[in-house]
Amino acid sequence: MERRIGTVSRGVRGPIIRKGDDLAKIVVESVVEAAKSENLEFRDRDVVAVTESVVARSQGNYASIDDIAEDVKNKLGGGTIGVIFPILSRNRFAICLKGIAKGAKKVVLMLSYPSDEVGNTLVSLDKIDEAHVNPYSDVLTLEEYRRLFGENKHEFTGVDYVEYYGNLIKEQGAEVEIIFANQAKTILNYTDHVLTCDIHTRKRTKRILLENGAKVVCGLDDILTAPVNGSGYNEKYGLLGSNKSTENEIKLFPRDCKGLVLDIQKQLLDITGKHVEVMVYGDGAFKDPQGKIWELADPVVSPAFTDGLIGTPNELKLKYLADNDFKDLSGEALKEAISDSIRKKEANLVGNMASQGTTPRQLTDLIGSLCDLTSGSGDKGTPIIWIQGYFDNYTN
């Protein structure tokens, strides 16, 4: 009988992970037990994914605000520091900001507006228009911002991040000055020691600052790239991808994950006889149409994956074939013609009109986004995702 189900994404429950746990063994056992409990069979090119959070937890990859403060002070001098383009997030940045402020005498906090890099809104575009403000060129002081726009609480969290971040800095014993601007070089009117906190535009921002006379420039990816007093670290991403653990501690993005995914892949092959692809996933790469938030606050969707997940989809658009190449066919004749086109498709469809409208993204970004949506970020308790049929097409 013809298989009627295509792609299926399942959240797999696992135990609470602690530092030092054998995560590869736990993931394999969890998926194998899930298969037994649901009478499911493994197939070649299934995908098993595990969230970065439990990977970092098993590694014990944590750091305190004191660790952050010491590294910031050593790298940026401990005087007046410009902290520019942070995202507005209690989970992602607030605890980092505590550590940064603790490592400085004064923080000049420069916030992008009307929203941060990932879409969290400080002030609406309508209010910007009404005030005749040009966010590309205009620099606002805190007083000007309040006079023009008043208090603006985040739609979902109810937090006034301007006030919240200002108070966090003062609580750590540092002076604070808050400005609003979108040109990186603006901060150089206040200080030439700068910590740029943007995620996906950080390389450009660093270049602009250095070209315009900054003496010291660091990104979040330059802080905690090595242990401080035995802390966790990430040699590639530093503080990028970190999350709040406690009020005084963060969990860093996991490191050295390639060995983990290969280990899981080998164990599953030994047990099931099937070649399963494996990845570690973090934030999905998608945008919320209501809150306008782009989900991707991690530096990448996937820090590690097996080689079978390298590349982009190579797919034909079925509706294009149906409406163009085979517009005069229907029923079984149409089905067979489309199936034959799929079987004979080129290995690289770039530029082929029949592939227009297919998603031109990396497989790891697409699959990681599916995983993130499946596992959620709350109390589902499914840090492992098992995907079947992702690489199927109409002919399978």
Side-chain angles (χ1 to χ4, degrees), residues 50 52 200 237 253 279-286 294 296 298-305 361-372:
V50 57
E52 59 83 20
H200 307 291
Y237 297 119
F253 209 48
M279 67 183 291
V280 176
Y281 70 95
D283 280 344
F286 47 82
W294 183 35
L296 188 55
D298 286 328
V300 290
V301 171
S302 176
F305 45 87
R361 290 166 60 187
Q362 293 184 112
L363 288 168
T364 49
D365 292 342
L366 291 163
I367 297 170
S369 299
L370 175 59
C371 291
D372 191 25

Side-chain angles (χ1 to χ4, degrees), residues 82-85 194-198 202 205-206 209 217-220:
V83 176
I84 71 172
F85 302 153
V194 185
L195 176 63
T196 181
C197 302
D198 44 347
R202 62 189 184 276
T205 301
K206 290 178 187 180
L209 290 167
V217 177
C218 290
L220 288 180

Side-chain angles (χ1 to χ4, degrees), residues 76-117:
L76 287 146
T80 298
I81 298 173
V83 176
I84 71 172
F85 302 153
I87 65 172
L88 307 176
S89 172
R90 294 169 296 176
N91 176 45
R92 288 291 191 170
F93 188 70
I95 309 306
C96 292
L97 182 58
K98 282 187 178 183
I100 293 164
K102 198 168 185 177
K105 289 182 179 178
K106 179 179 179 179
V107 171
V108 182
L109 181 66
M110 191 172 92
L111 300 173
S112 55
Y113 75 101
S115 63
D116 69 10
E117 180 185 4

Side-chain angles (χ1 to χ4, degrees), residues 315-328:
E315 300 173 344
L316 295 171
K317 196 76 169 179
L318 297 192
K319 67 180 182 180
Y320 179 90
L321 294 174
D323 292 345
N324 290 272
D325 294 27
F326 308 119
K327 61 183 178 181
D328 296 325

